[in-house]
Amino acid sequence: MLRTSALRGGLAATALLAVSVGCTVQPGADGAPPDAKPGGGSPLGVSIAPLPDPPVTRPESTPATTSPTPAADRTSAAPPPAQPRTPTPPPTRPSPSVPKPATLMAVGAQSDQVRELQARLRQIGHFDRSPTGYYGTVTATAVSSFQGKRGLPLTGTTDTVTWQRLLGMTKQPTRDELRPPTEKPVAKPDPRCMKGRVMCISKKSSTLAWMVDGKVKSAMDVRFGSEYTPTREGLFSVGWKSRDHVSTLYDSPMPYAMFFSGGQAVHYSSDFAARGYEGASHGCVNVRDEKKVAALFEQVKAGDKVVIYW
């Protein structure tokens, strides 16, 4: 009895041990384990399964350790900071170029408009001669002077801008302004010319004004003698007249001669008419407009005064 109890206690302990180690007892048909050998095995008659090997834990692959990147390297390796995007301005269309003003008159032109240009420039002191209708260097210089005073480009040519500015500053020229009797303005009369009937002759302006009681009746261009044969200055009077006179000294024609001092006279000169101021007289007062001097010859009388002055 005691032996049977001890056997049971041993079996219980064995079973407890098997359970504790995770094994189970599989009884056979006769109550013994299937792999029990007769006469051998456990002294208790119980087959104990061997404890399984503990699971092999393979070491996880350890990633390769790298040395920490220095701060400088980390800075250089870092991507550059994003730059703020500057908005692209919309495309601008090029401003249209301002066209140059059209040229109306330039050097070499000859017309009534050029004559009007000269007359208008003369009104405001930029042209000191009588209008000729020809656009030469003198006219170009006068236009440049006008342009400079008004802040315009100094071209010397008359374009639309220059012309409009000039029109706004001047008045429509009169007939006498467009076609004055003399190339240069008639000089201010000498005081000796203000009374009576006088041929008032200015060497400064190269003009002769026929005056009666201080009023100019007619005027004309004249030229004088050279430095070797100068025209005398002073107050004279007409001694005598000769319509178709020929010089006995120079054997040259002197039509409409009005003598005032010895052999010096006021008369028409075909050389003056042809050559202008490039030539000179032998001391006489030459007139180049034959019609004017012919009309003057009819009006002047012996005894009328002749005043020659600067």
Side-chain angles (χ1 to χ4, degrees):
M1 187 63 156
L2 293 171
R3 193 176 176 181
T4 303
S5 300
L7 180 57
R8 289 176 180 176
L11 292 171
T14 302
L16 179 60
L17 177 62
V19 172
S20 65
V21 297
C23 298
T24 58
V25 179
Q26 300 293 333
D30 56 358
D35 56 352
K37 295 182 180 179
S42 171
L44 296 179
V46 180
S47 175
I48 300 175
L51 292 174
D53 295 331
V56 178
T57 303
R58 296 180 179 178
E60 296 180 358
S61 58
T62 303
T65 59
T66 58
S67 60
T69 304
D73 291 345
R74 289 200 301 272
T75 302
S76 61
Q83 298 294 329
R85 295 183 63 185
T86 302
T88 303
T92 57
R93 295 181 179 180
S95 57
S97 58
V98 179
K100 293 182 178 180
T103 298
L104 299 178
M105 291 166 278
V107 173
Q110 187 170 4
S111 66
D112 287 339
Q113 189 178 26
V114 174
R115 186 181 294 274
E116 181 181 351
L117 167 70
Q118 295 167 336
R120 289 179 180 272
L121 289 171
R122 185 175 179 179
Q123 288 178 5
I124 53 178
H126 289 281
F127 193 74
D128 62 353
R129 302 186 182 184
S130 297
T132 62
Y134 177 74
Y135 205 120
T137 56
V138 174
T139 303
T141 300
V143 171
S144 293
S145 174
F146 173 80
Q147 291 170 331
K149 290 286 187 180
R150 275 74 198 176
L152 301 174
L154 304 180
T155 62
T157 60
T158 304
D159 53 38
T160 52
V161 174
T162 301
W163 181 245
Q164 290 300 321
R165 186 70 64 87
L166 181 61
L167 291 180
M169 298 181 62
T170 56
K171 61 180 179 64
Q172 181 64 39
T174 64
R175 183 179 63 181
D176 288 342
E177 287 177 322
L178 290 172
R179 288 176 170 80
T182 58
E183 182 176 312
K184 295 181 181 180
V186 176
K188 181 180 179 180
D190 184 272
R192 293 169 292 182
C193 301
M194 301 307 295
K195 292 182 179 180
R197 297 162 55 89
V198 187
M199 285 194 287
C200 195
I201 303 170
S202 168
K203 283 189 172 182
K204 183 177 180 179
S205 64
S206 297
T207 59
L208 181 156
W210 170 238
M211 301 181 64
V212 178
D213 296 330
K215 294 183 180 180
V216 177
K217 299 299 182 177
S218 65
M220 57 205 72
D221 296 320
V222 294
R223 75 176 183 182
F224 308 97
S226 67
E227 61 178 322
Y228 303 105
T229 56
T231 302
R232 289 185 282 273
E233 302 163 16
L235 174 61
F236 310 94
S237 62
V238 176
W240 58 290
K241 303 192 314 181
S242 177
R243 183 183 297 273
D244 300 309
H245 191 78
V246 176
S247 172
T248 56
L249 184 60
Y250 300 101
D251 194 26
S252 58
M254 297 172 57
Y256 308 106
M258 294 167 280
F259 291 90
F260 59 86
S261 175
Q264 294 187 352
V266 175
H267 66 86
Y268 170 72
S269 170
S270 59
D271 181 74
F272 182 25
R275 299 174 57 199
Y277 291 99
E278 293 182 2
S281 73
H282 292 102
C284 292
V285 178
N286 290 164
V287 180
R288 65 177 172 184
D289 191 321
E290 187 173 7
K291 290 183 178 180
K292 286 186 176 181
V293 72
L296 178 64
F297 183 86
E298 298 298 330
Q299 298 177 56
V300 172
K301 299 177 181 179
D304 289 344
K305 290 191 298 185
V306 178
V307 176
I308 301 176
Y309 67 102
W310 278 100

